[in-house]
Amino acid sequence: MAKLYFYYSAMNAGKSTVLLQSAHNYKERGMRPLLLTAAIDDRFTQGQITSRIGISAQASLFTNDTDIMQTVLLESQSNELSCILIDEAQFLTKEQVYALSDVVDVLNIPVLAFGIRTDFQGELFAGSQALLALSDKLIELKTVCHCGSKATMVIRLDSDGKPVKEGDQVQIGGNDRYLSVCRKHFKEAVRN
């Protein structure tokens, strides 16, 4: 029986690396995974999932307007899909997450979604909120704060390296723009 999995963490926990390893494992067994990533994330090459450790794979893009079920049905026409692997799942809409649960429940295709749980203000992303509610299995991938504690939060930094407390929820960036920290250091950053 297929399941909907949500692998979540702060930044720099290796979400894309785990996704790419999963894709490799499926392919090595002669199975066909469908890889999806958010079109909004343009840090690397669009249409590609890239890990900070230097591995990558081609992926189909999704936007807020993508009909996930239609995408899966079209992809599975030519060759049966073994699983769906989604990078940057926090950018999914609530409706898209519901469609992914239909992929699992109706089509019996496992879905593994990888994303960040909260934004730089400690608020849930819409996709993450829906995944936390609907997933059959939640898996936390861990990374560490500069103090050595588990990092569960993300701080957005300005061009001078100072914490940003206001702004749009989505601003694409990497290590130059975001820092993963523990809750204690997150609260210190937003209070100062």
Side-chain angles (χ1 to χ4, degrees):
M1 182 171 173
K3 293 188 185 309
L4 174 57
Y5 299 86
F6 182 35
Y7 292 81
Y8 67 92
S9 70
M11 290 185 69
N12 298 319
K15 293 179 296 301
S16 297
T17 304
V18 173
L19 182 154
L20 292 167
Q21 180 65 52
S22 296
H24 172 77
N25 292 346
Y26 274 96
K27 289 175 187 173
E28 193 174 52
R29 303 281 185 267
M31 298 176 181
R32 182 170 171 247
L34 171 61
L35 279 64
L36 297 170
T37 191
I40 193 172
D41 185 0
D42 59 1
R43 289 174 293 159
F44 305 105
T45 304
Q46 268 202 319
Q48 195 168 3
I49 297 172
T50 302
S51 170
R52 286 181 178 84
I53 66 169
I55 58 176
S56 62
Q58 290 301 117
S60 297
L61 296 173
F62 70 85
T63 67
N64 286 347
D65 298 324
T66 301
D67 183 328
I68 295 291
M69 182 59 87
Q70 188 64 28
T71 299
V72 171
L73 290 172
L74 285 172
E75 283 289 331
S76 63
Q77 281 179 350
S78 61
N79 192 2
E80 184 178 339
L81 291 173
S82 303
C83 73
I84 314 298
L85 300 169
I86 303 169
D87 199 30
E88 305 296 344
Q90 70 271 12
F91 297 131
L92 292 164
T93 65
K94 181 179 179 179
E95 293 75 24
Q96 289 170 327
V97 173
Y98 273 79
L100 289 170
S101 71
D102 287 338
V103 167
V104 171
D105 298 338
V106 176
L107 302 178
N108 199 35
I109 300 173
V111 174
L112 290 73
F114 295 79
I116 297 171
R117 184 178 57 162
T118 58
D119 66 14
F120 74 105
Q121 294 176 316
E123 300 293 330
L124 290 169
F125 285 96
S128 300
Q129 182 177 9
L131 283 161
L132 287 167
L134 293 175
S135 292
D136 298 299
K137 187 141 175 82
L138 302 171
I139 301 104
E140 181 181 25
L141 300 176
K142 295 173 180 72
T143 190
V144 294
C145 179
H146 58 83
C147 71
S149 295
K150 180 173 76 170
T152 58
M153 309 297 287
V154 178
I155 297 172
R156 182 184 291 166
L157 305 172
D158 66 15
S159 58
D160 296 323
K162 293 186 177 17
V164 175
K165 299 174 191 164
E166 295 178 349
D168 293 335
Q169 184 180 44
V170 176
Q171 189 173 80
I172 302 302
N175 293 344
D176 60 326
R177 174 86 39 201
Y178 292 97
L179 179 65
S180 294
V181 295
C182 65
R183 182 183 59 237
K184 175 184 174 186
H185 287 109
F186 173 81
K187 291 191 306 187
E188 285 177 7
V190 296
R191 285 182 185 148
N192 293 334

